Amino acid sequence: MGIFNFENETPLGDVQSVDTATVVIHVTAPELLSKLQVNHLVVIRSSKLGRYLIGLVSKIMRKYGNETELTEGDEIATTDIVKVSLIGTYIEKVGEEMDVFKRTLESVPEISSDCFLISDQTLSEFMRVISTKNFQDLEQPLLIGSYTLNDEARAWLDGNKLFQRHAVVVGSTGSGKSFTVATIIEQIAKLKSANAILFDIHGEYKPLAGEGIQHFKIAGPNDVSGNDILFLPYWLLTYDEMISFMLDRSDSNAPNQAMLFSNTVMSEKKRYLHQAGKTDLEASITLDSPIPYSLSALLQTLTEFDEEMVPGAKANTEKQGHYHGKLTRFIQRLDSKKTDKRLNFMFCEDEDLLNYSYMSQLCEQLMKPSEADWGGVKIIDFSEVPSDVLPLMVSLIARIIFYVQQWMEKEKVHPIAIFCDEAHLYIPQNTNQSIEDASLSSFERIAKEGRKYGVGLVVISQRPSEVNRTVLSQSGNFIAMRLTNADDQNVIKKLLPDSLGDFAELLPILDIGEALVVGDASLLPSRIRVTMPNKKPNSNTLKFWDEWSKENVENYIDIAVESLRRQVK
């Protein structure tokens, strides 16, 4: 016998109308309304034996009669109506087979079908079916928290579908978004062959440590090569990325500068291959091929073009070459970037960074799954990367990972997930500069094609209205925490299925640590209380009033000023 037994139960009411996935219930037992709330679950008898339709209450209404002439003592007739969104089918199995819950609607209720409330005991059993039986084939399902409807029922997510279909984690500052990400990361780290990358833009995930987690930092102004320091040399950039970063398109000589720059880069790459004894690659490389080359040699060649004098029309005379003076500003701009200490991670002249094998070493660090002495979850700290080049550097890592996965033999691909914290900074809805355009194109491609090559995307942001719509629309899972901004709420509402539009009305009133979870990874669209991680991220939320109330506060301003000058904390 299944968990639903309504033989001795009084129905809440009966079906009055059916419209695709929406049902209107005419309440015949008004005394039961006190036990019903919006977003509670109800059960409707299906026309098929042993099957029940599960619905989510979206609205409770009381309609009054239309009597226009009433005498003293007359009562106004009322009708109670409950609007329900159908979300799935519960199927009772016969014999040893276990009951299952499916998100599909294999049938719709007939007019006058009974609708029942779910008791606390039955709700607990139903949640157990949802949370356990449907994930029994998974060795270690992903525990996200507990259902708000029933604290005793644990909420599990299907880790396969969560990353296959991409995911979005959103919430205003202080809603518990970082804790949610940390909870997921901790559980990924426990898997024997875990493989994930977290872009930590502000360094708030430093406290996450332990077996299965590896920390890296993008090199700062005074950093040198080390096991936990990452350099992203300029020669890893594609042609479009190089141009967006190095070329001023407003310069009248920009076309000449771009043409000579691309020609010189190609020549320098071929020269490098020749010196490295890899001449067999010369015919197949392109401007986008990640082949090292010397930036100093490139600048010298461009300077020669810029200062070139050619024989004049008369004997023993010279005139300016065709490109004389047209590259001056470009060379100055490129040289200033090369000497900018803030860009040490890109223009460091360490010989190891110009080694042919450097890219393989970098990808090994970024993409190697968990091993005995290696953490499969890689947390990359971008806190010292200047904001103007942040989009380019984040997308560079994402693009490299995607390309390597794309060129790997299909049978040997090991999936990897990319967590994009503060995604609105580098996956923007509106781009203002060419660097942002280059960054956006990489993430759009991963969002559209990543599933084919085992690359999952998790977009994390406190401002979903500022995140690119294409990337958001490609995501099949949403973990939405409290959102107070109307624009952010509207974006999430539009991305949710039409039948769950009213469900999103909860967004501004969610408690800290509560989330609406909707998508392929969660069989039941649910309000969930997220489990706190073992090690909490550093949210950097200072308690203003408490700090101001202290009697004495030490002064560290001089130290901070000196750190600013030295570019070292």
Side-chain angles (χ1 to χ4, degrees):
M1 181 178 290
I3 63 173
F4 296 131
N5 181 14
F6 299 118
E7 289 182 7
N8 300 317
E9 294 283 337
T10 302
L12 170 69
D14 52 52
V15 174
Q16 188 177 60
S17 69
V18 181
D19 180 12
T20 314
T22 304
V23 175
V24 174
I25 304 298
H26 171 239
V27 177
T28 56
E31 67 276 8
L32 296 179
L33 276 180
S34 61
K35 300 180 180 180
L36 190 67
Q37 295 181 22
V38 172
N39 295 311
H40 274 197
L41 297 176
V42 294
V43 179
I44 303 173
R45 288 190 195 274
S46 171
S47 56
K48 295 183 179 180
L49 186 64
R51 303 195 177 194
Y52 299 88
L53 298 170
I54 308 300
L56 192 70
V57 175
S58 59
K59 187 176 292 187
I60 303 173
M61 300 173 286
R62 172 163 288 175
K63 293 186 176 181
Y64 292 88
N66 294 323
E67 293 88 345
T68 55
E69 296 184 6
L70 295 174
T71 59
E72 187 176 349
D74 286 347
E75 293 185 1
I76 299 177
T78 61
T79 304
D80 295 324
I81 299 294
V82 175
K83 186 178 178 183
V84 175
S85 298
L86 297 178
I87 57 177
T89 306
Y90 182 88
I91 304 173
E92 292 180 347
K93 295 293 185 177
V94 180
E96 296 182 358
E97 291 189 54
M98 291 185 292
D99 298 351
V100 295
F101 173 77
K102 294 183 177 181
R103 285 284 297 276
T104 57
L105 296 175
E106 298 183 357
S107 63
V108 292
E110 297 176 346
I111 297 296
S112 298
S113 295
D114 289 335
C115 174
F116 296 90
L117 298 180
I118 303 179
S119 66
D120 290 342
Q121 183 178 352
T122 305
L123 178 62
S124 181
E125 182 66 15
F126 174 70
M127 291 301 188
R128 186 181 66 81
V129 172
I130 294 294
S131 299
T132 306
K133 293 182 180 178
N134 287 283
F135 300 128
Q136 61 181 324
D137 295 332
L138 299 178
E139 185 176 339
Q140 288 184 274
L142 173 58
L143 177 63
I144 187 71
S146 59
Y147 292 102
T148 304
L149 284 174
N150 191 316
D151 290 337
E152 296 181 1
R154 293 187 295 176
W156 304 87
L157 296 181
D158 187 328
N160 287 326
K161 293 179 180 178
L162 182 68
F163 299 109
Q164 286 172 344
R165 318 284 168 80
H166 306 312
V168 174
V169 182
V170 294
S172 300
T173 301
S175 63
K177 181 176 70 276
S178 299
F179 289 176
T180 301
V181 174
T183 296
I184 296 174
I185 288 293
E186 282 185 349
Q187 293 186 70
I188 294 175
K190 295 176 183 177
L191 302 178
K192 297 175 184 177
S193 298
N195 202 8
I197 288 178
L198 169 60
F199 295 144
D200 185 5
I201 304 304
H202 300 302
E204 63 180 302
Y205 293 95
K206 285 182 180 179
L208 271 66
E211 188 175 348
I213 296 178
Q214 196 87 14
H215 281 271
F216 292 101
K217 176 190 167 209
I218 302 298
N222 296 294
D223 287 327
V224 295
S225 296
N227 293 331
D228 60 345
I229 302 296
L230 292 182
F231 286 84
L232 303 173
Y234 55 86
W235 53 266
L236 291 173
L237 298 173
T238 64
Y239 173 70
D240 288 338
E241 290 169 343
M242 289 188 291
I243 290 300
S244 68
F245 178 59
M246 300 176 180
L247 185 70
D248 181 2
R249 296 184 184 277
S250 64
D251 193 319
S252 59
N253 290 309
N256 286 325
Q257 294 169 358
M259 182 267 294
L260 283 176
F261 176 70
S262 61
N263 290 344
T264 307
V265 167
M266 196 65 178
S267 299
E268 290 298 325
K269 286 185 176 183
K270 289 183 176 180
R271 179 189 297 179
Y272 180 91
L273 290 175
H274 185 76
Q275 293 174 347
K278 297 185 179 293
T279 53
D280 56 313
L281 291 177
E282 288 187 36
S284 58
I285 68 167
T286 67
L287 268 174
D288 291 342
S289 300
I291 306 296
Y293 63 91
S294 170
L295 191 61
S296 297
L298 180 141
L299 281 169
Q300 182 178 346
T301 301
L302 293 179
T303 301
E304 290 173 359
F305 276 114
D306 190 54
E307 298 174 350
E308 184 181 27
M309 300 295 292
V310 298
K314 298 181 180 179
N316 299 323
T317 61
E318 289 185 329
K319 64 177 183 178
Q320 295 179 351
H322 184 67
Y323 301 108
H324 191 284
K326 295 181 179 180
L327 303 175
T328 304
R329 292 181 61 189
F330 178 74
I331 293 170
Q332 291 173 345
R333 192 180 312 112
L334 189 54
D335 189 56
S336 67
K337 291 182 182 296
K338 179 175 177 290
T339 56
D340 188 342
K341 291 288 289 182
R342 299 177 308 152
L343 302 178
N344 177 47
F345 59 86
M346 184 184 293
F347 296 113
C348 177
E349 296 184 318
D350 192 317
E351 289 186 7
D352 291 341
L353 301 178
L354 289 176
N355 195 304
Y356 184 82
S357 64
Y358 179 77
M359 183 175 176
S360 295
Q361 297 169 11
L362 177 65
C363 292
E364 188 85 5
Q365 290 177 301
L366 295 174
M367 302 177 66
K368 188 167 69 171
S370 288
E371 291 182 357
D373 58 346
W374 185 263
V377 175
K378 282 77 66 172
I379 299 177
I380 305 177
D381 183 354
F382 282 84
S383 59
E384 293 191 32
V385 175
S387 59
D388 56 335
V389 297
L390 176 66
L392 192 59
M393 294 301 101
V394 174
S395 66
L396 169 61
I397 292 179
R399 175 179 56 77
I400 288 175
I401 291 170
F402 177 73
Y403 281 175
V404 172
Q405 292 283 95
Q406 186 181 22
W407 284 97
M408 195 175 294
E409 291 183 34
K410 191 171 183 180
E411 299 76 18
K412 298 179 181 178
V413 169
H414 189 72
I416 185 169
I418 302 175
F419 287 74
C420 302
D421 191 36
E422 304 288 1
H424 53 278
L425 297 177
Y426 47 89
I427 315 178
Q429 168 63 9
N430 300 307
T431 57
N432 298 317
Q433 50 184 326
S434 54
I435 284 181
E436 292 178 343
D437 290 330
S439 171
L440 187 57
S441 63
S442 295
F443 284 104
E444 283 187 342
R445 187 171 183 192
I446 293 173
K448 294 174 183 176
E449 305 175 33
R451 182 179 59 84
K452 302 175 186 176
Y453 305 108
V455 182
L457 203 60
V458 181
V459 177
I460 308 159
S461 177
Q462 57 186 310
R463 292 306 312 275
S465 61
E466 296 180 7
V467 178
N468 179 260
R469 299 292 187 276
T470 299
V471 174
L472 289 180
S473 65
Q474 293 294 318
S475 301
N477 299 284
F478 297 90
I479 301 175
M481 313 195 81
R482 185 175 62 199
L483 286 171
T484 54
N485 183 277
D487 292 338
D488 296 329
Q489 294 172 20
N490 289 332
V491 167
I492 299 302
K493 287 178 184 178
K494 291 177 182 178
L495 291 169
L496 295 181
D498 293 338
S499 60
L500 295 176
D502 294 336
F503 194 48
E505 298 297 336
L506 290 169
L507 287 172
I509 60 172
L510 291 173
D511 194 5
I512 295 174
E514 275 193 332
L516 302 183
V517 181
V518 179
D520 300 319
S522 174
L523 282 173
L524 188 70
S526 308
R527 182 175 178 177
I528 289 174
R529 189 173 300 281
V530 178
T531 301
M532 286 295 176
N534 294 323
K535 295 183 179 179
K536 298 179 181 179
N538 180 12
S539 64
N540 295 321
T541 303
L542 296 177
K543 297 180 179 179
F544 281 63
W545 204 258
D546 291 351
E547 292 295 319
W548 292 346
S549 299
K550 289 181 178 179
E551 188 170 340
N552 295 305
V553 178
E554 294 189 45
N555 190 340
Y556 294 110
I557 296 175
D558 287 346
I559 297 175
V561 170
E562 193 63 20
S563 296
L564 172 63
R565 287 175 175 149
R566 295 176 181 273
Q567 291 288 290
V568 176
K569 287 188 178 180

